[in-house]
Amino acid sequence: MSATDTAAATVPAPAQAPAPAAAGEQGPGAEVVCLGESMVTFVPQTTGRLADVPAFTRAIGGAESNVACALAAAGHRARWVSRVGADGFGEHLVDAIAAYGVDTSAVTRDPARPTGIYFRTAADRDADAAFEVVYYRAGSAASAMSPHTVPLDALRDTRVLHVTGITAALSPDCLALLRTLTERRPGRPLVSFDVNYRASLWPDKAAAGEVLLGLARGADLVFVGEDEAETAWGITGGPQAVRDALPEPTTLVVKQGAGGGTVFTREPGDGARTGDGSRAGDGSRTGDGSRAGDGSRTGEEPGAPRTPDAVIHEPAPRVDVVAPVGAGDAFAAGYLSGLLRGLPVAGRLRQGHLLAANVLTVPADLTTPPPRALTDRLAALDAPAWQGLALGPGWTERLAGTRASGAGA
């Protein structure tokens, strides 16, 4: 809980673009559908141990809904699909997420199971060894998600379906649902999978690694942290070693924290150099691996001949971190936004870095993204100016009305 190249349209647009759906209403289609559990979060109003905190502030938390909210606030048609209890916490979740402009019409109320909640300390989990988080999610309404209890049509009526490994850990039914959604089949949407390994959710680390690797191999676009790959899969040796272990997805995004991000892609038309030094692609395939216009394939089948990867790295700007929680979700939202807009891979990475920086510089794990005009302006900086960016709390307000110069924001 949760270099600019030639632009290429990488996700086939619907024949007739659907009108934006109002909050809580079912639209004729979505650009992105996000599936996963969200919970009501209680954050202490003061620092200290949970045992000593007298009062909490209510918020919401959920990796997938964080992505949906950020995309909707950035102007995309986003839908969140999940299950909540028929209780006040579930009502609050749905209302809060819909307030960002997310379509919540496919969320199911479960009268027999509660909405999940959790408590955490005010200090962030990386900076304070005493960080505490206590989940009350066992037997939650969302843990009952399965291929039979969620509307599959609402999940597939989209250009991109975004899921994470968190859902797979909630129950065998949830895992069955993710395996159904990552099964390669004609006509499915582009499947985006954020590994999102959470050790506390997986009692058996070896089993977790096997499950997450299998799901990632079925996706078209995969997000994984370099450190996360080492923890979950024992992979060391940098981004290339991750790609060697995970060759199936058309696009692999390896997040490197302050070191930036590296993308390996067989997506044509981005103008980047492939591993053998040649130019990538001729534009005949779309970004999800299908032939342009027919939607007949996604990704590449295991064992099939593969074209060489284009490898694109973009450093991250320097950020004065307030709290890291939610940054990975914001990065995914920024990257997906760039994908939907047809930006080149380097531009998508920069959009991801900027949305992550927006969350890193606030205490909450979900906040309104910067104006698109601002992120576009910053993402268009030349390499020296980009690498000179230094972003701290309040940077979006300070830069929104000024020309980006790269000087300490």
Side-chain angles (χ1 to χ4, degrees), residues 230-242:
E230 180 176 359
T231 302
W233 300 324
I235 298 173
T236 58
Q240 184 62 58
V242 182

Side-chain angles (χ1 to χ4, degrees), residues 271-302:
R273 293 282 180 181
T274 64
D276 64 0
S278 62
R279 288 286 177 179
D282 62 2
S284 61
R285 287 193 181 274
T286 63
D288 64 354
S290 61
R291 287 287 179 184
D294 70 7
S296 60
R297 286 188 61 189
T298 56
E300 295 193 20
E301 299 301 326

Side-chain angles (χ1 to χ4, degrees), residues 197 205-206 208-210 213 224-238 241-242 245:
Y197 174 65
K205 179 180 176 180
E210 183 178 352
L213 192 60
V224 64
E226 186 175 15
D227 55 346
E228 187 177 39
E230 180 176 359
T231 302
W233 300 324
I235 298 173
T236 58
V242 182

Side-chain angles (χ1 to χ4, degrees), residues 32-241:
V32 179
V33 170
C34 301
L35 167 80
E37 179 174 35
S38 292
M39 294 177 287
V40 172
T41 310
F42 291 93
V43 182
Q45 295 180 359
T46 59
T47 58
R49 303 184 311 155
L50 287 179
D52 302 326
V53 173
F56 296 80
T57 298
R58 184 181 64 177
I60 62 173
E64 301 86 1
S65 60
N66 285 349
V67 173
C69 289
L71 284 167
H76 295 283
R77 297 187 308 279
R79 177 183 300 142
W80 173 57
V81 177
S82 189
R83 290 170 62 85
V84 299
D87 49 36
F89 288 144
E91 183 178 352
H92 172 67
L93 270 178
V94 174
D95 289 348
I97 292 168
Y100 280 85
V102 176
D103 173 3
T104 59
S105 61
V107 177
T108 303
R109 275 73 167 178
D110 187 332
R113 298 176 178 87
T115 302
I117 64 173
Y118 76 100
F119 296 79
R120 69 175 175 88
T121 47
D124 70 69
R125 65 189 64 182
D126 289 342
D128 188 346
F131 177 83
E132 298 174 76
V133 58
V134 180
Y135 292 101
Y136 296 91
R137 70 195 308 179
S140 69
S143 71
M145 291 189 296
S146 78
H148 310 292
T149 61
V150 298
L152 295 180
D153 287 347
L155 293 172
R156 292 168 173 156
D157 179 24
T158 183
R159 296 169 66 186
V160 176
L161 171 62
H162 180 72
V163 295
T164 84
I166 294 173
T167 301
L170 299 182
S171 70
D173 281 343
C174 285
L175 175 55
L177 175 60
L178 282 199
R179 283 176 168 158
T180 297
L181 296 174
T182 56
E183 179 184 354
R184 296 197 182 279
R185 62 177 65 194
R188 79 174 191 182
L190 185 149
V191 176
S192 166
F193 178 70
D194 190 336
V195 172
N196 243 328
Y197 174 65
R198 297 288 184 267
S200 61
L201 297 177
W202 296 93
D204 186 333
K205 179 180 176 180
E210 183 178 352
V211 166
L212 294 172
L213 192 60
L215 293 171
R217 285 174 171 159
D220 305 301
L221 165 62
V222 173
F223 297 95
V224 64
E226 186 175 15
D227 55 346
E228 187 177 39
E230 180 176 359
T231 302
W233 300 324
I235 298 173
T236 58
Q240 184 62 58

Side-chain angles (χ1 to χ4, degrees), residues 185 318 361 383:
R185 62 177 65 194
R318 289 172 293 162
T361 51

Side-chain angles (χ1 to χ4, degrees), residues 304-322:
R306 297 187 178 95
T307 56
D309 277 326
V311 184
I312 301 95
H313 174 81
E314 276 294 322
R318 289 172 293 162
V319 178
D320 183 7
V321 177
V322 172

